[in-house]
Amino acid sequence: CIIGAGSAGLSVASGAAQLGRKVVLIEQGKMGGDCLNYGCVPSKALLAAARRAQQMRQAAKFGIEAVEPTIDPAAVLRHVHGVIETIAPIDSQERFEGLGCTVLREQATFIGRRRVRAGDTEVTAKHFVIATGAKPRIPPIPGLDSVPYLTNETLFYTEEFPAHLIVIGGGPIGVEMAQAHRRLGAEVTLIETHAILPKDDREMVEIARRKLVSDGVRVIEHAAVRRVSGSAGEIAVEYGGEGSSSLIHGSHVLVATGRQVNIDGLGLDAAGVAHSDRGITVNARLRTSNKRIYAAGDVTGGRQFTHVAGYHAGIIVQNILFKVPAKNREELAPWVTYMDPELAHIGLTEAQAKAAGHKVTVARWSYGENDRAQAEHAACGQVKAVIGKGGRILGATILGASAGELIGSWALAMANKLSIKAFTSMIAPYPTLGEVSKRVAGAYYTPTLFSARTRALVSLLSVFD
């Protein structure tokens, strides 16, 4: 019995059903969960439209007349919804019933350690998987509950495009949507209590911040939102730092201040499942305090990404169906902020590695030194690798075009415990952005390769010519 038809739940259901197990899948909301309907898919579709608009403005550097695009907000949203509708059949109730699953579109509530009620149906199962995801966290800002505000669950379904969007929260969602709306013609102000993108390498974030500002996004950091007031189309946000206060007016407010897990109404206490406000407590095999119940994806309170949820599903399938004691290693999962340029990261940042006591060597390579990046006028960015003892890769950050694609090779290396030397053995096709990773490895070895000691060795070997 799987509760939740998002990335994790659907992956477990598909695998179990195709392996011949009886499967009941329970979902009270939309099939496909947050990613398909409110998150990854619509946001990336909107970002794609914004990128095309920006390319039109910047065409002159390619010898093509630049134009200010005419943007039809309704047509942009039709594009977004069209992408959702194209993908939706893969996650549909009909598809999973075709695989042999029983699908119940109800709220699921545990009424015992191995029993769930969903509407008028009671389900007893050998194993349960809770994959109910997360929802937007709404901060207790005075006045916020009295004004219409947007979250990622409503942003893509609004009928009116913002004239001035005020974004509260500078995490990945806030940053992505701020830049996208600015490029699509809205005035945008982003307000963050601390610094934007707090989980990423600060050196790289500073470059990203400058890019946002150059695009016309007003970025206000280290300022708390103190009060929200007004009505539809005319909303006032009061904010300030220590000893200061300012007021800004906008047409719409987007609240992007993090996520909270969906556990309300599940009856976890009746099932003997330990949990907190941060999520359901699981061990390394994603098993809860009830050995018959597993949890996967955002609801575990770990790294809340669709690819992590899918990864969790694989671990659970191995544990339940194949009896393989697979363990969660989500610390090896990369993440990407899909702004332009993209910001991707895996492992430890330089600061984190030093704080953990590692002896660190930093190797980097600029996009400006990559021929393909120059040809594409995409020279903004760099790859920064954090290397430990013996060439061990501790982490990597990429800021630049296609960073989300390029981080995959670093994820592969770290997952398989390859050293930085593995990149020097790689033959990268020319000219590609992928060469930057190989160049970083070369930069790591350069001080040793061209040292006085190496030169002396080469001189000594030359006598054998």
Side-chain angles (χ1 to χ4, degrees), residues 238-283:
E238 180 185 348
Y239 65 92
E242 187 175 349
S244 66
S245 181
S246 300
L247 191 67
I248 189 168
H249 293 83
S251 63
H252 295 75
V253 169
L254 170 63
V255 179
T257 51
R259 312 276 293 165
Q260 66 183 60
V261 296
N262 287 321
I263 57 175
D264 293 343
L266 282 176
L268 296 178
D269 292 337
V273 174
H275 60 92
S276 69
D277 291 341
R278 295 179 58 86
I280 293 176
T281 304
V282 293
N283 64 13

Side-chain angles (χ1 to χ4, degrees), residues 371-384:
D371 294 354
R372 181 62 178 273
Q374 289 292 348
E376 300 280 351
H377 286 291
C380 174
Q382 64 174 280
V383 181
K384 178 180 178 180

